[in-house]
Amino acid sequence: MTEVSSLTGRLLVATPALADPNFERAVVLLLDHDEEGSLGVVLNRPTPVDVGDILEGWADLAGEPGVVFQGGPVSLDSALGVAVVPGEPGADSSPLGWRRVHGAIGLVDLEAPPELLASAVGSLRIFAGYAGWGPGQLEDELVEGAWYVVESEPGDVSSPAPERLWREVLRRQRNELAMVATYPDDPSLN
């Protein structure tokens, strides 16, 4: 097997050609990517469920909109917390209950008391479920042209307008991908 270059911390942006309804115009933050597979969360699928309805203690730390997001089609009955903790990635003072994934972005231990993180968290998002790929599966989808791979920014995790994130991420690219942001929702209407 060929060596896999890690895409952890990067974004997968669904191409207009991606036909899977679970990922139509999705923006996925990769939390783990290696030879054993990949795991990420869809950043732009808010649900109508308030964070306080399922994780009451974390509701005050959740950014706007303060709802649970559908992180992907896998394990929808489980929750993942992703938080941005400002500061230098090399600092030894990561707060208890938070594990750095990439830069200022990390995973939250939702079993920990929220008070441990309250003063450190810049933003928090709660996800029901996740997106997962087995060994080589994501690489195959990349070869097929299903995803664009771009750099993430800490603000992507806490975008106050997640419904616009797909276009915003594409628009900020400094190449031909910026033009894809203008792709119509329904090309047959052109």
Side-chain angles (χ1 to χ4, degrees):
M1 178 173 198
T2 60
E3 185 177 323
V4 174
S5 176
S6 181
L7 299 176
T8 299
R10 309 229 7 231
L11 296 178
L12 299 177
V13 180
T15 68
L18 184 59
D20 183 340
N22 289 307
F23 296 110
E24 181 180 357
R25 297 212 176 190
V27 177
V28 177
L29 172 66
L30 281 175
L31 301 171
D32 192 25
H33 176 251
D34 58 26
E35 65 278 345
E36 296 177 20
S38 304
L39 180 139
V41 289
V42 179
L43 297 177
N44 58 337
R45 296 277 191 271
T47 72
V49 179
D50 287 332
V51 170
D53 291 347
I54 54 170
L55 292 169
E56 186 177 345
W58 293 99
D60 290 340
L61 296 178
E64 289 299 323
V67 298
V68 175
F69 281 66
Q70 183 175 336
V74 181
S75 293
L76 292 173
D77 58 346
S78 65
L80 277 170
V82 177
V84 173
V85 173
E88 291 301 313
D92 294 332
S93 59
S94 291
L96 289 173
W98 181 80
R99 180 178 59 84
R100 186 178 312 280
V101 171
H102 179 77
I105 300 168
L107 287 168
V108 173
D109 177 0
L110 295 173
E111 298 294 321
E115 305 81 52
L116 286 177
L117 288 166
S119 64
V121 169
S123 63
L124 169 72
R125 189 95 348 126
I126 303 295
F127 298 92
Y130 62 91
W133 294 265
Q137 188 179 4
L138 178 57
E139 288 74 18
D140 290 345
E141 290 182 16
L142 292 173
V143 169
E144 293 167 5
W147 302 99
Y148 303 119
V149 179
V150 300
E151 294 298 324
S152 65
E153 295 181 2
D156 296 333
V157 171
S158 58
S159 173
E163 68 282 353
R164 294 196 310 251
L165 191 60
W166 186 82
R167 289 189 192 280
E168 289 172 358
V169 168
L170 289 170
R171 195 171 289 123
R172 75 178 182 228
Q173 303 309 307
R174 296 176 184 239
N175 54 32
E176 64 276 355
L177 284 184
M179 290 296 295
V180 177
T182 64
Y183 196 84
D185 293 332
D186 184 355
S188 69
L189 297 177
N190 276 351

